[in-house]
Amino acid sequence: MALEIKILDYGDIELESSFLVLGRDCGRTRRVLTLGFLILGGPYPVVVDTGYRSNQIMETLGMRGLQYHEHMIENQLARHGVRMGDVRFVCHTHLHIDHAGKDDLFPMNTTVVLNRKELEYSVSGLMHPQYPAPDIKHLIDRLHTKSALRFLDLEITGPIELMPGVYCDAANAHTEGSMNIIVHTADGIATICGDVIYDFNDQIVTPFHEIHDWEPRTTGNHGTSKRAEKAAIKKLLSSSRYLLPVHDRPAKIEGGNVVGRLHDQVPGPIVQSLPQRNWFPA
């Protein structure tokens, strides 16, 4: 069976628009998705990111959580016939408040996989409010429990194969320890890219306030340099057939362009087609 990725809907978040795309609609509120991912077709199910702990915890960042019963992780997994205890690995693109909030619902024999640098970064005080105490303290419990946590050192090793067809690689953007999860599907490489990309339209398709050719817009929320953020986006666009961020629906990529959007699985049907750019106007 070929590997495929099912989209998990963990509910929405309302937040300030320029948080998502640098300089866009400052002071205006925007509602965005919070997605997770279930990789099927391998020897065991793998989950990537677990959403936020509760609606209340999002208020600590001045944001509004919109998470209801159907968005609970156990209910999202059940839609695909998967129970919490069936999951072998929970991988994290990074450990921000809306990505690692439900790890404590998984048994300790489900191994949480993260880049070691991300756990170090989470307790550095940099971007501190985005790493809430309950989430990080639970990971410390896993740190002291046999086989409950697996560290990667991706900046040194390069990509690591987690299981056949699934690789983890340093993202080099958003946070110091963010990683991408690369899945080899029957229709090419699909990369789960966390928050390196928030918004395909305003960062890539029609980059907000960018005048240079083929120049992506960064997010308004990152702990690395603008150069690193832009380079990381360009690398994703040049190396993937599909891109799957956490706060926007997946995109199909051809020749570095976003040419289509998908909804709830990758590979899957295109629900919106975008025209190729006209590079040579009359």
Side-chain angles (χ1 to χ4, degrees):
M1 181 178 177
L3 293 175
E4 58 182 3
I5 306 169
K6 303 295 187 182
I7 310 302
L8 308 176
D9 182 357
Y10 296 146
D12 294 353
I13 299 172
E14 288 184 350
L15 71 169
E16 204 259 346
S17 179
S18 67
F19 193 87
L20 301 168
V21 178
L22 184 64
R24 182 190 65 184
D25 295 337
C26 296
R28 295 185 62 182
T29 298
R30 182 167 292 219
R31 181 167 174 166
V32 297
L33 303 160
T34 303
L35 304 176
F37 308 94
L38 173 64
I39 303 171
L40 297 175
Y44 31 70
V46 174
V47 166
V48 180
D49 286 349
T50 60
Y52 54 93
R53 181 172 292 269
S54 65
N55 289 335
Q56 291 71 32
I57 204 166
M58 296 308 300
E59 295 174 4
T60 65
L61 289 182
M63 300 177 185
R64 183 186 179 204
L66 297 159
Q67 185 183 89
Y68 303 103
H69 179 71
E70 65 268 23
H71 301 126
M72 297 298 104
I73 192 167
E74 60 270 27
N75 296 330
Q76 288 290 305
L77 291 174
R79 293 174 57 236
H80 305 287
V82 176
R83 299 169 298 177
M84 303 287 281
D86 297 334
V87 176
R88 175 66 184 89
F89 292 120
V90 170
C91 299
H92 282 302
T93 60
H94 61 296
L95 299 176
H96 274 171
I97 190 170
D98 50 341
H99 293 259
K102 299 292 180 69
D103 290 19
D104 56 351
L105 300 182
F106 288 89
M108 286 297 199
N109 61 358
T110 294
T111 303
V112 172
V113 182
L114 50 89
N115 200 17
R116 188 189 309 271
K117 197 169 187 179
E118 180 63 12
L119 187 59
E120 294 172 348
Y121 189 67
S122 74
V123 297
S124 69
L126 300 168
M127 303 184 85
H128 159 68
Q130 298 190 53
Y131 292 104
D135 300 355
I136 304 307
K137 287 180 178 179
H138 169 71
L139 291 174
I140 301 305
D141 289 338
R142 285 186 173 269
L143 179 70
H144 294 281
T145 304
K146 183 175 174 58
S147 299
L149 197 63
R150 178 175 174 179
F151 286 120
L152 305 177
D153 295 289
L154 297 172
E155 296 80 11
I156 300 171
T157 64
I160 292 290
E161 186 176 40
L162 187 66
M163 69 178 192
V166 178
Y167 296 81
C168 302
D169 192 18
N172 298 313
H174 190 57
T175 68
E176 289 187 2
S178 283
M179 70 177 181
N180 297 321
I181 291 80
I182 300 164
V183 182
H184 289 250
T185 76
D187 193 38
I189 291 175
T191 303
I192 300 169
C193 57
D195 288 356
V196 179
I197 297 169
Y198 274 140
D199 184 317
F200 279 114
N201 186 65
D202 287 355
Q203 286 188 258
I204 297 164
V205 177
T206 309
F208 178 77
H209 276 194
E210 295 290 347
I211 64 171
H212 300 127
D213 190 41
W214 217 299
E215 187 74 359
R217 186 70 169 177
T218 70
T219 75
N221 176 41
H222 53 265
T224 67
S225 70
K226 298 292 187 298
R227 184 192 300 271
E229 295 291 315
K230 288 176 179 283
I233 294 170
K234 292 173 183 177
K235 181 179 178 180
L236 289 170
L237 290 169
S238 68
S239 62
S240 303
R241 176 72 164 173
Y242 297 99
L243 290 176
L244 298 88
V246 165
H247 298 292
D248 202 356
R249 290 289 174 184
K252 185 175 183 179
I253 311 298
E254 291 181 1
N257 294 312
V258 176
V259 297
R261 306 301 300 278
L262 299 87
H263 192 264
D264 57 5
Q265 66 182 47
V266 173
I270 301 297
V271 298
Q272 178 191 11
S273 296
L274 283 76
Q276 288 276 359
R277 297 181 191 177
N278 180 9
W279 295 116
F280 303 101

